[in-house]
Amino acid sequence: MAAASSPNAVPVPATAPAPGPAAASPGRAAWLTDLPVLLVAVVWGASYLAAKDITTARTVVAVLVLRFALVLPVLVAVGLRRLRTLTAAQWRGAGALGLVLSVIFLLETYGVVHTSATNAGLIISLTMIFTPLAEAVATRTRPPRAFLGAAGLSVAGVVLLTQGGGFTTPSLGDLLMLLAAGARTVHVLAMARTKSVRGADALSLTTVQLGGAVAVFVVLAAVPGTGPAPWTVAAGFGPREWAGLVFLSVFCTPFAFFTQMWAVRRTSPSRVSLLLGTEPLWAAAAGIAIGGERLGAAGLVGGVLVLAGTMWGRRAVTRP
């Protein structure tokens, strides 16, 4: 699967590795390329805990406005020349994808408020299972048996993961994260099937999508009953909250985008995708080590099954 299928990912062109000094020392060059990509996975894994730490159910929309309003001007300034080359059809296509992206971020942020960061990171990783299944339905092809086995393993893992205190109804947050994984699948398939955005510059595509999402958040923030205004929330932030917001805004978007762009030109999309696939591990690590979360025996087994299932499924759909 391409790197764009990662829960947090932005579109990355499947560019062949560029020749360079890697030929002289392939081991060292590969390590130097892999490390920043692995850092992106760590950052994305920690993003669930960071979002949970600075957001409440009443401030979701306001935090989303602040998060992306901080970074959008930077992306526009960096890619202004390429934005001007987009056609009207590409603007419309990317704008429509931005509407889907806004739904994803709303589901994810409301979801992480109502569940643990550990559960959020592991459940959203089901995107890697949902996407090939949805693609198989759309193309009317049967997925490999190994992949179906991996999907079953992942679903069993999610059931156990959400039942840390015994077999009860999953929390609202768990269900919202499941919906977010489904929305991520829709977004990935829409990007692949929207003809107008094929071949569009990845940075421009990301900028327009984020712009569309921010427009949705701004409109929602103006609707009575959706919580305090973004500037009210910002005024109440202390150093800890501002640090979390900057982390989400800067490191989880432009840093991740440019690292992916840099890495995919020096290695392969499959290798980048494999490294980004460790994101749920880091989400669980951050939730347990920093957030003080506990999985329990059933949850621990469930988390292992989710990770095993998604990794097995990834191999099943990428194997020649």
Side-chain angles (χ1 to χ4, degrees):
M1 294 171 63
S5 62
S6 172
N8 278 297
V10 288
V12 176
T15 309
S25 52
R28 182 172 180 272
W31 181 83
L32 290 174
T33 301
D34 289 350
L35 191 60
V37 178
L38 192 60
L39 183 58
V40 170
V42 173
V43 165
W44 278 343
S47 68
Y48 300 101
L49 185 61
K52 187 177 181 67
D53 192 46
I54 68 171
T55 314
T56 67
R58 293 191 67 250
T59 63
V60 166
V61 175
V63 169
L64 286 172
V65 171
L66 293 171
R67 174 180 175 178
F68 294 108
L70 282 179
V71 71
L72 191 59
V74 177
L75 294 178
V76 171
V78 171
L80 184 59
R81 182 175 301 176
R82 283 173 283 185
L83 279 170
R84 290 171 175 167
T85 66
L86 293 179
T87 65
Q90 288 172 332
W91 276 93
R92 288 193 298 270
L97 290 172
L99 298 181
V100 180
L101 198 61
S102 69
V103 173
I104 294 168
F105 281 118
L106 286 166
L107 287 171
E108 284 185 358
T109 311
Y110 275 113
V112 79
V113 166
H114 293 289
T115 189
S116 67
T118 302
N119 277 23
L122 290 166
I123 293 172
I124 200 68
S125 70
L126 289 178
T127 302
M128 292 183 283
I129 294 294
F130 291 167
T131 301
L133 284 176
E135 193 170 17
V137 171
T139 58
R140 298 182 180 180
T141 58
R142 183 180 177 84
R145 289 184 180 180
F147 179 81
L148 294 176
L153 192 66
S154 296
V155 171
V158 168
V159 171
L160 288 174
L161 178 68
T162 58
Q163 307 303 315
F167 285 91
T168 58
T169 303
S171 72
L172 173 63
D174 294 333
L175 295 176
L176 289 173
M177 294 310 295
L178 267 177
L179 289 174
R184 284 279 176 189
T185 297
V186 171
H187 186 251
V188 171
L189 293 183
M191 280 199 297
R193 291 176 170 271
T194 303
K195 294 181 180 180
S196 62
V197 301
R198 291 178 187 172
D201 172 69
L203 176 57
S204 300
L205 181 61
T206 301
T207 303
V208 175
Q209 286 187 77
L210 287 180
V214 169
V216 171
F217 303 147
V218 168
V219 170
L220 288 177
V223 176
T226 54
W231 52 85
T232 303
V233 173
F237 275 180
R240 178 189 177 110
E241 289 78 13
W242 275 109
L245 185 65
V246 170
F247 172 78
L248 289 169
S249 298
V250 177
F251 290 95
C252 296
T253 307
F255 166 75
F257 173 82
F258 288 113
T259 298
Q260 286 182 88
M261 289 283 288
W262 172 82
V264 83
R265 284 172 167 80
R266 287 161 176 78
T267 175
S268 69
S270 296
R271 189 178 181 92
V272 170
S273 182
L274 183 64
L275 291 166
L276 294 178
T278 63
E279 177 191 341
L281 283 173
W282 304 111
I288 294 169
I290 302 173
E293 299 174 353
R294 295 292 179 266
L295 281 176
L300 183 60
V301 172
V304 171
L305 290 181
V306 170
L307 292 172
T310 53
M311 295 304 289
W312 183 17
R314 182 191 295 272
R315 293 194 188 96
V317 297
T318 56
R319 185 177 297 127

